[in-house]
DNA sequence: TAGGCCATCTGGTCCT
DNA sequence: AGGACCAGATGGCCTA
């Protein structure tokens, strides 16, 4: 099943502080209020630390414990926010990659795994094309072409050896021309919406 | 309704 | 010590 471009959606966030400024993936609703989160965290923490009553009584929290708990909550909130930002920059990078990879259905957003797979094979097919052209055009001449081609062939041999050891290698991966074929096949399989 | 994809939270580990 | 990175868990939204 494929995921089509989606309208914004909401997430009932269990935790979080506030709307992320400059959120580039408005896929999600801004998180809950800090107050809510703090409440949630406090109750969780209470459960975890075993608000275990001893003989039906709660132990008295040591002096300063409340302050430490608050600062611990605060640190968690800040950490969550950083993590959110980190994921946003990662998603921005994915988006930038999507925009650079030619694919058939412009209206369909590539998933992350599709983006990576397509990018890998696109790079391979471009590399193969460039090397084929340059080695053909500059036989025996000084220049990057032949060296690159040699390097590429070495890489291919290594990959074949590794694959032989592992016992897996698609025929398309084993030769330059195969990359283009594999890439275009993949584009079409994605288009089919497999 | 099941399955795919994703955002977010969270705790652990690594790095500076 | 604090931030970055990572992976597992959770739950929402969407499509077939």
């Amino acid at each position: 099943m494929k995921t089509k471009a989606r309208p914004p959606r909401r997430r009932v966030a269990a935790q979080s502080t506030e709307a992320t400024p400059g959120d580039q993936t408005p896929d999600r609703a801004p998180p809950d209020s800090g107050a809510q989160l703090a409440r949630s965290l406090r109750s969780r923490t209470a459960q975890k630390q075993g608000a275990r009553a001893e003989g039906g009584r709660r132990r008295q929290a040591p002096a300063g414990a409340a302050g430490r708990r608050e600062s611990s909550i605060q640190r968690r909130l800040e950490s969550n926010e950083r993590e959110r930002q980190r994921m946003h920059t990662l998603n921005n990078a994915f988006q930038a990659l999507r925009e650079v990879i030619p694919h058939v259905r412009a209206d369909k957003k590539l998933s992350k795994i599709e983006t990576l797979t397509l990018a890998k094979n696109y790079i391979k097919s471009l590399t193969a094309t460039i090397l084929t052209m340059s080695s053909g055009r500059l036989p025996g001449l000084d220049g990057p072409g032949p060296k690159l081609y040699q390097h590429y062939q070495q890489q291919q041999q290594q990959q074949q050896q590794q694959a032989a050891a592992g016992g897996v290698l698609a025929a398309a991966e084993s030769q330059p021309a195969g990359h283009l074929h594999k890439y275009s096949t993949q584009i079409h399989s994605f288009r089919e919406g497999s």
Side-chain angles (χ1 to χ4, degrees):
Chain A
M1 272 175 248
K2 285 296 137 189
T3 308
K4 300 284 188 314
R6 303 168 192 176
R9 45 181 172 163
R10 302 205 129 253
R11 176 178 207 271
V12 182
Q15 273 106 41
S16 129
T17 34
E18 56 198 7
T20 307
D23 185 350
Q24 312 241 8
T25 49
D27 237 30
R28 297 284 160 165
D32 284 351
S33 73
Q36 264 181 302
L37 171 53
R39 271 197 300 277
S40 163
L41 276 175
R42 277 189 211 103
S43 71
R44 269 200 194 191
T45 309
Q47 282 179 339
K48 257 193 187 170
Q49 293 176 342
R52 250 181 264 141
E54 288 178 353
R57 271 189 313 164
R58 288 230 171 123
R59 208 182 313 193
Q60 181 87 30
R68 277 198 299 277
R69 205 164 53 228
E70 291 298 327
S71 76
S72 155
I73 290 171
Q74 189 56 38
R75 261 185 284 120
R76 215 336 120 187
L77 294 180
E78 288 167 3
S79 177
N80 289 351
E81 175 62 23
R82 281 193 302 273
E83 177 66 7
R84 233 177 288 132
Q85 288 298 329
R86 196 180 71 82
M87 295 310 293
H88 288 162
T89 62
L90 183 63
N91 287 333
N92 289 342
F94 265 105
Q95 186 52 39
L97 190 55
R98 279 186 193 103
E99 289 167 7
V100 155
I101 305 172
H103 61 283
V104 182
R105 280 267 297 271
D107 61 315
K108 177 193 168 275
K109 182 182 175 185
L110 292 174
S111 71
K112 291 179 178 179
I113 186 68
E114 285 172 345
T115 303
L116 290 178
T117 309
L118 221 44
K120 182 196 80 175
N121 290 298
Y122 182 50
I123 289 168
K124 281 189 170 186
S125 75
L126 287 181
T127 305
T129 303
I130 290 168
L131 292 175
T132 301
M133 289 173 69
S134 62
S135 67
R137 221 164 4 104
L138 306 167
L141 294 180
D142 286 342
K147 277 186 185 173
L148 276 173
Y149 193 66
Q150 283 171 14
H151 175 68
Y152 182 77
Q153 283 186 320
Q154 279 175 7
Q155 274 197 327
Q156 293 301 308
Q157 283 170 6
Q158 281 176 10
Q159 284 179 11
Q160 284 183 26
Q161 285 165 4
Q162 285 173 4
V168 186
L169 178 66
E173 298 257 13
S174 64
Q175 42 192 292
H179 298 312
L180 185 57
H181 178 259
K182 185 172 183 183
Y183 174 64
S184 67
T185 304
Q186 217 156 27
I187 281 183
H188 283 87
S189 77
F190 286 157
R191 181 184 55 176
E192 297 298 325
S194 55

